[in-house]
Amino acid sequence: QAGLTQPPSVSKGLRQTATVTCIGNNNDVGNEGAAWLQQHQGHPPKLLSYRDNNRPSGISERFSASRSGNTASLTITGLQPEDEADYYCSAWDSSLSAVVFGEGTKLTVL
Amino acid sequence: QITLKESGPTVVKPTETLTLTCTFSGFSLSTGGMGVGWIRQPPGKALEWLGNIYWDDDKRYSPSLRSRLTITKDTSRNQVVLTMTNVDPVDTATYYCAHRPPTGLFDFWGQGILVSVSS
């Protein structure tokens, strides 16, 4: 099953801006866009955005998503210690009729 | 408020069949566009999608696991059941069920259940 490509790790300083990328193809990210999930150790994932840059109620404006072609990006501004977590992108693959996930990116806030 | 909770055995033996139940509230699986998905996560590893079931009883499965998976729903009891046959130690993971809204992907997740496959 094909997956989405994410960097294994990203490190940024407190109050800085971090960007996590997610590379897919025309059938998944390039088709219906991506969703982004945040997962703290020992907890279930939490939806941050869907269909590129739609934020569910209660999600901070510090989290914003975008897409350019087959690459989706999650940008977190004003990094806080609580932002340290794993971040996953996901998308619907229309050719596989399947949900695909990225391998996850561990964000460290220095 | 949407909530989901997974239940089932926490230890199964190799070659056995694993059956997990997702009990949910706050939405109905008879509402058009709604769905429930199953996702798993081996310890220390990434999320892996297993399958979805939709309001019209349509089902989609992971291509790599399709032959071993069955997902069913009981709309009146607000439950979705995942069955995985012939389990192996590599199937050891936390299994999550999640709400799939008409907008697409998973917005509410259960707490997960850790299932270990061991003899």
Side-chain angles (χ1 to χ4, degrees), chain A residues 11-27:
Chain A
S11 297
K12 286 289 185 180
L14 195 63
R15 294 183 294 276
Q16 289 190 330
T17 295
T19 298
V20 180
T21 56
C22 169
I23 302 172
N25 58 44
N26 290 334
N27 297 313

Side-chain angles (χ1 to χ4, degrees), chain B residues 29-66:
Chain B
L29 248 186
S30 60
T31 300
M34 291 297 183
V36 170
W38 285 96
I39 305 97
R40 72 178 179 180
Q41 186 172 35
K45 296 189 177 180
L47 301 167
E48 179 184 17
W49 177 71
L50 301 178
N52 287 355
I53 189 166
Y54 299 94
W55 82 102
D56 58 358
D57 210 36
D58 188 22
K59 297 153 192 176
R60 294 287 185 264
Y61 296 105
S62 163
S64 61
L65 293 167
R66 178 177 288 122

Side-chain angles (χ1 to χ4, degrees), chain B residues 72-98:
Chain B
T72 60
K73 64 180 175 70
D74 185 334
T75 303
S76 63
R77 299 179 67 181
N78 282 353
Q79 290 182 331
V80 170
V81 175
L82 171 74
T83 302
M84 177 183 288
T85 60
N86 193 27
V87 298
D88 182 270
V90 299
D91 296 313
T92 293
T94 296
Y95 287 74
Y96 297 99
C97 62

